[in-house]
Amino acid sequence: MKGVSALGREPLPLNGIRITDFSWALAGPLCTQLLGAMGAEVIKIETSKRLDALRGAEPFADGVPGPNRSGRFNNLNLCKKGCTLDLTKPEAVELVNGLIKLSDVVIENFAFGVMARLGLGHETVLKIRPDLIYVSSSGLGAAGPKKHHVAFGNTVHAFSGLTALTGYYQGPPRGIGGTFSDPLTGITAAFAILAALHHRADTGLGQFVDLSMAEATLAQLPEAVMDYTMNGRVRGCEGNRDGSMAPHNTYPTRGEDEWVCIAVSSEEEWKSLCRAMGSPSWAAEDKFSDMFRRLQHQDELDSLIGEWTSSFSSREITDMLQKAGVPAGPSSNLEQFVTDPHLRARGYLFELDHPEAGRRTVSGLPWKLSHCPEPAYWPAPMLGEHNGYVFQELLGLAGDRVAELTASGVIC
Amino acid sequence: MGQQALSNLTVIDLGDFVSAPYCAKLLADMGAKVIKIEDPHGGDSARRSGPFLGDVPNPERSGLFLYLNTNKVGITLNVKSRTGLNILKDLLKTADILVENGPPGKMRQLGLDYHTLWTFNPRLIMTSITPFGQTGPYRDYKSADLISFHMGGRGYTTPPQVQDITRDRPLKAGGRQADFLAGLTGATATMIAVMARRLTGRGQHVDVSEQEVVGMLMQSTTPLYTYAGRIVKRSEMVLAGAVALIPCKDGYVCLEPMLDHQWQALAEVMGNPQWAVGEMCRGRPARTRNWDAILDLMAQWAAVHTMEEISGAAQAKRVPGMPVNTVKDLLYSDQLLARGFFADIDHRATGLLRYPGSPYAFSGMSRDLVHPAPMLGQHNEEVLCGQLGWPKQELAALRRAGIV
């Protein structure tokens, strides 16, 4: 694939880049999905002996379990080719080394040491391909006294400092309700790979990139870190508060468990908010008369605003306040998010057919390029779907050799 | 040690506050030459946002600003004046990348819309980071980190497992995660455009929506709706049987004994008490049902142990468990220190301070962040006279005219 993609379209930015993708679960797969959608050829190495954790995760299409029916897997593996190999067998490692020789990038996010035990550690592989970009991502990174520590997402949130800052104001740490550091690390990996590819194009040099999910998260918490290094202050949970904005919170609306955000950053926005609320007498009270006072009395302010918002839907409040120039928007639940008319209008959310899971809403790239063809999205690979392409076309094995390797459980 | 990865790229940073400046910082920390352009009256608004050294507001002593602008060169320029605009255009003629985060339409007002820029530098990549992108019904909506985080869908179920759904409102994450994610994604999309330029020889306009960026966090969550038709609530025990966030002797720990063998190993760590090996905990479904009671019992055990003791013992048996670190814990973390994560940077207005470092370590490059953030207008002479060739006496005139 040089210059022009398989469909004969104008090239996508990463056409000609091949990625051997050992990653599983969340972080690595998001990274390679972003790069795959931009034209890289991503070859996902899997095994039916130990499925990608997401292939076994609910929910499944029509509630029927099956490796090709998991919504989570299917959402995070668009634009990839998939093959199956049992890497505990030496022949499989040999095959995968052949594939790495044809690749520009290797990415993995196993626990520390797994790749080295398979004979696929970066020291070994970079000897075969010195211009390779090899990315390892794990909870705490590939070096340091705690490199062996195992983690899932919530454990990383805890280590990184994010959990200690997420919860109701001055309350105990509660943490984020859902994934955060995994996808954040995936995007970080994508940026690191692109920077390394750019560097390689100019210098011919490969790179080992050591990624720690905890560090990727902590790099986004500078205010808390610097408040300690500057002032010795240990910040705790912030709720929805902001040091220089009030009102700044989520407020109840007419709907059951339906909430709307309002964030006021200036006197002008405050005045507009007051007018939109019908200029209630409490809003003119001295204790709300400037930002300093509103910040000091924000609990009371929040409950008064909450009484007003409770009579409307989040959509009505958003329309009213945005028209008045006040930043506001719903705290979208899954349905509001998946049906968000703006995300639909921009083509961020769209429908995609999957051969087993059917037609489902998926999300595309969070950026648009003015002079680049639309990415050609295709569904996540079925388990072993591209074995023929990988083993015969790319690696040049004869059909009977593939049958042999399948019979002996190397391809499986 | 080789050269930095992006040392042949020149970036003009017209950004303000967090998202675009963070994008430009990521490029700068990788070696790109970034010229930050600030308004002569007050500069970047991050300069007015804390934390401040000694809690005294000072535009040169904002921790947020100092972190977001490492390794950049800084000039002041009133781009609303004709002369200021021409100076900016001169800088853009030889730049590779322009990063900005003004509301959609602002660049056009300045006469700097992408098609105009293209006429004098067709290789220029312009990256625009906005709350909702350059198109669509919400493009002109005003936002803030709070709103972007919630409209991206991640706030509604935060925090998990609340008791009273009418009292316990949805929360954003700590810090400014939507803004920072938008900066990181902006840098990623910018590098995609740099790769595209290698194929086509031309630049392009990169449109990054902060709401969509947060939406990326949702890709493993949306199937609950798109496959199962469910709307997950904060009150649901989604972490039951899997995640234990419990108080201990000196703080909190987070343990994730999701699988049966992990639970058995954790029971061993706790000394195999009767409850942990009995019916109540046998199999994940039983643990899920009894999770509240189990958490209480775990907390009783944890109360006499420290975060490090508990996470160390759990890790020794391969159970995912880590302390709920505060920033103080992090600054003394043996793991982070051994990896050289933090950067010590000496800035003229603050002296030596410790900053968070780069979120990756490249084998062939130094991890150090070398240069402190610029003082307001610090590099005016270097850029205007040294690079663009303005005579020094005219720089004085530009200053008097309020252009720099």
Side-chain angles (χ1 to χ4, degrees):
Chain A
M1 303 230 299
K2 286 226 164 47
V4 175
S5 77
L7 297 167
R9 298 144 38 103
E10 231 190 307
L12 285 164
L14 300 182
N15 279 165
I17 301 291
R18 183 176 290 129
I19 302 176
T20 299
D21 181 6
F22 294 95
S23 73
W24 71 319
L26 268 162
L30 176 65
C31 167
T32 51
Q33 174 162 310
L34 298 173
L35 301 178
M38 286 280 91
E41 184 180 59
V42 178
I43 298 174
K44 188 175 174 79
I45 314 291
E46 298 185 79
T47 169
S48 51
K49 284 180 68 186
R50 192 174 180 226
L51 290 178
D52 186 315
L54 294 191
R55 283 202 188 267
E58 290 180 304
F60 298 103
D62 314 315
V64 180
N68 302 319
R69 307 179 66 83
S70 156
R72 297 180 204 256
F73 181 88
N74 290 345
N75 258 23
L76 281 155
N77 290 284
L78 306 181
C79 306
K80 300 178 195 179
K81 291 170 178 151
C83 69
T84 49
L85 277 174
D86 177 4
L87 291 172
T88 61
K89 297 204 157 70
E91 295 105 311
V93 173
E94 209 175 293
L95 284 175
V96 97
N97 270 319
L99 190 59
I100 290 171
K101 279 190 196 137
L102 302 174
S103 299
D104 305 278
V105 178
V106 163
I107 180 167
E108 62 94 8
N109 63 340
F110 294 119
F112 176 80
V114 170
M115 288 296 274
R117 278 200 297 281
L118 296 170
L120 293 166
H122 67 95
E123 291 98 340
T124 318
V125 171
L126 282 163
K127 259 178 224 144
I128 317 175
R129 270 294 305 266
D131 66 340
L132 188 72
I133 291 146
Y134 188 122
V135 181
S136 279
S137 152
S138 61
L140 300 186
K146 290 183 168 141
K147 66 186 175 193
H148 295 284
H149 282 203
V150 289
F152 294 132
N154 286 283
T155 356
V156 169
H157 298 170
F159 187 94
S160 72
L162 185 62
T163 301
L165 296 165
T166 304
Y168 295 99
Y169 181 63
Q170 290 185 333
R174 301 292 297 268
I176 294 191
T179 55
F180 186 84
S181 293
D182 277 288
L184 161 59
T185 305
I187 307 158
T188 308
F191 175 63
I193 288 169
L194 291 161
L197 282 170
H198 174 76
H199 184 59
R200 190 189 69 164
D202 295 323
T203 63
L205 295 173
Q207 201 74 236
F208 171 60
V209 181
D210 170 4
L211 259 177
S212 148
M213 287 170 61
E215 290 172 358
T217 311
L218 186 51
Q220 299 202 158
L221 292 167
E223 290 156 294
V225 171
M226 306 264 322
D227 206 4
Y228 184 78
T229 63
M230 286 178 145
N231 302 314
R233 182 179 294 118
V234 178
R235 288 192 181 186
C237 292
E238 304 169 344
N240 282 322
R241 290 186 177 205
D242 181 278
S244 57
M245 286 191 248
H248 188 276
N249 210 340
T250 50
Y251 300 90
T253 69
R254 196 174 54 205
E256 190 203 332
D257 198 28
E258 187 188 315
W259 303 75
V260 69
C261 315
I262 302 172
V264 167
S265 66
S266 66
E267 288 311 300
E268 193 193 337
E269 287 171 4
W270 168 246
K271 283 178 190 139
S272 302
L273 172 64
C274 293
R275 274 195 300 275
M277 291 189 295
S279 303
S281 56
W282 60 261
E285 283 176 39
D286 205 36
K287 60 187 162 193
F288 303 131
S289 59
D290 61 30
M291 191 64 87
F292 175 75
R293 288 169 191 225
R294 287 194 297 278
L295 283 163
Q296 285 209 313
H297 300 102
Q298 59 184 299
D299 285 335
E300 194 184 343
L301 177 64
D302 282 345
S303 62
L304 288 163
I305 292 175
E307 283 172 29
W308 174 69
T309 55
S310 295
S311 314
F312 303 93
S313 70
S314 60
R315 185 70 259 164
E316 287 164 345
I317 301 269
T318 302
D319 285 345
M320 244 187 288
L321 294 187
Q322 287 287 354
K323 265 191 206 115
V326 180
S331 174
S332 296
N333 67 24
L334 277 178
E335 183 174 43
Q336 287 170 305
F337 177 74
V338 172
T339 59
D340 185 314
H342 178 73
L343 295 175
R344 294 272 168 180
R346 277 176 61 79
Y348 175 73
L349 293 170
F350 56 95
E351 314 298 325
L352 191 67
D353 287 311
H354 181 282
E356 262 194 56
R359 195 171 180 78
R360 305 283 169 178
T361 301
V362 297
S363 49
L365 293 167
W367 58 73
K368 295 198 177 304
L369 301 174
S370 63
H371 288 75
C372 171
E374 276 291 300
Y377 293 101
W378 77 85
M382 315 263 269
L383 192 60
E385 182 180 341
H386 302 93
N387 280 352
Y389 168 75
V390 173
F391 301 124
Q392 289 173 262
E393 267 186 65
L394 275 185
L395 295 177
L397 301 185
D400 44 356
R401 180 67 184 141
V402 171
E404 248 173 65
L405 289 167
T406 308
S408 61
V410 171
I411 296 173
C412 89
Chain B
M1 219 42 84
Q3 64 176 113
Q4 294 289 89
L6 307 183
S7 55
N8 58 359
L9 295 177
T10 301
V11 181
I12 304 299
D13 173 8
L14 268 184
D16 185 64
F17 204 48
V18 175
S19 62
Y22 188 56
C23 168
K25 168 193 163 67
L26 290 167
L27 302 172
D29 290 349
M30 283 261 197
K33 183 184 180 192
V34 177
I35 301 174
K36 181 177 182 69
I37 296 180
E38 297 183 76
D39 189 88
H41 309 289
D44 190 318
S45 58
R47 291 183 182 274
R48 296 182 288 284
S49 190
F52 296 102
L53 184 64
D55 287 328
V56 180
N58 177 322
E60 301 299 351
R61 291 179 176 173
S62 152
L64 180 64
F65 178 86
L66 292 172
Y67 173 73
L68 284 170
N69 294 286
T70 51
N71 288 323
K72 298 180 190 176
V73 162
I75 68 168
T76 50
L77 203 57
N78 178 2
V79 296
K80 286 174 197 140
S81 73
R82 186 64 176 267
T83 309
L85 186 65
N86 285 340
I87 292 171
L88 175 58
K89 284 183 174 170
D90 279 344
L91 288 170
L92 289 170
K93 274 177 195 157
T94 53
D96 298 284
I97 296 159
L98 165 64
V99 184
E100 63 95 15
N101 59 349
K106 188 181 170 197
M107 294 300 281
R108 185 177 300 273
Q109 272 170 21
L110 289 172
L112 293 172
D113 62 286
Y114 189 65
H115 290 283
T116 309
L117 294 172
W118 232 24
T119 58
F120 60 85
N121 183 357
R123 287 177 58 78
L124 185 70
I125 292 156
M126 171 167 155
T127 299
S128 298
I129 305 174
T130 51
F132 301 100
Q134 304 287 316
T135 61
Y138 305 165
R139 60 165 246 164
D140 296 321
Y141 273 19
K142 289 168 93 173
S143 191
D145 176 77
L146 169 78
I147 297 170
S148 301
F149 192 79
H150 282 276
M151 285 184 78
R154 189 79 295 174
Y156 188 72
T157 52
T158 298
Q161 308 193 172
V162 303
Q163 280 165 357
D164 180 352
I165 207 159
T166 56
R167 180 197 65 194
D168 299 335
R169 61 187 75 213
L171 290 184
K172 72 178 184 69
R176 303 178 193 277
Q177 299 309 323
D179 288 346
F180 275 94
L181 271 169
L184 170 64
T185 308
T188 308
T190 301
M191 288 310 300
I192 293 274
V194 171
M195 295 300 286
R197 195 176 67 171
R198 287 181 180 278
L199 297 177
T200 64
R202 68 186 182 202
Q204 56 189 318
H205 189 191
V206 180
D207 168 13
V208 179
S209 148
E210 196 158 316
Q211 183 193 23
E212 292 169 7
V213 164
V214 177
M216 265 193 300
L217 306 175
M218 301 296 292
Q219 283 179 217
S220 62
T221 309
T222 50
L224 292 166
Y225 182 77
T226 59
Y227 278 62
R230 285 181 56 206
I231 296 171
V232 185
K233 303 259 183 188
R234 293 180 306 297
S235 52
E236 286 179 42
M237 298 292 285
V238 283
L239 306 179
V243 181
L245 180 62
I246 48 172
C248 65
K249 193 176 170 184
D250 59 345
Y252 292 81
V253 285
C254 180
L255 296 159
E256 291 191 79
M258 211 175 287
L259 310 169
D260 280 339
H261 71 88
Q262 290 168 335
W263 176 260
Q264 283 151 20
L266 181 64
E268 234 176 280
V269 168
M270 294 189 288
N272 282 326
Q274 199 51 50
W275 62 266
V277 295
E279 279 307 313
M280 184 170 81
C281 295
R282 194 156 300 149
R284 170 106 185 248
R287 291 195 295 278
T288 302
R289 268 197 316 278
N290 301 313
W291 198 237
D292 270 343
I294 293 171
L295 286 179
D296 285 343
L297 290 160
M298 284 174 81
Q300 281 173 35
W301 164 75
V304 294
H305 299 287
T306 65
M307 302 191 289
E308 281 303 314
E309 284 165 9
I310 295 168
S311 54
Q315 288 288 347
K317 293 193 179 295
R318 308 289 288 164
V319 178
M322 290 188 181
V324 177
N325 284 323
T326 65
V327 278
K328 184 179 178 187
D329 301 323
L330 289 163
L331 281 152
Y332 293 98
S333 157
D334 58 352
Q335 176 66 10
L336 296 171
L337 294 173
R339 290 172 56 78
F341 172 69
F342 294 106
D344 291 323
I345 299 174
D346 195 1
H347 185 277
R348 224 191 287 168
T350 64
L352 195 68
L353 285 173
R354 187 155 281 194
Y355 294 47
S358 297
Y360 21 66
F362 277 41
S363 57
M365 290 166 212
S366 160
R367 208 174 179 188
D368 295 339
L369 311 177
V370 186
H371 300 291
M375 315 266 284
L376 190 61
Q378 183 179 340
H379 303 97
N380 284 348
E381 186 174 325
E382 183 185 318
V383 172
L384 268 73
C385 306
Q387 189 179 326
L388 295 180
W390 283 72
K392 275 190 189 175
Q393 56 271 30
E394 287 199 29
L395 180 61
L398 287 172
R399 283 200 178 108
R400 282 193 301 275
I403 288 161
V404 302

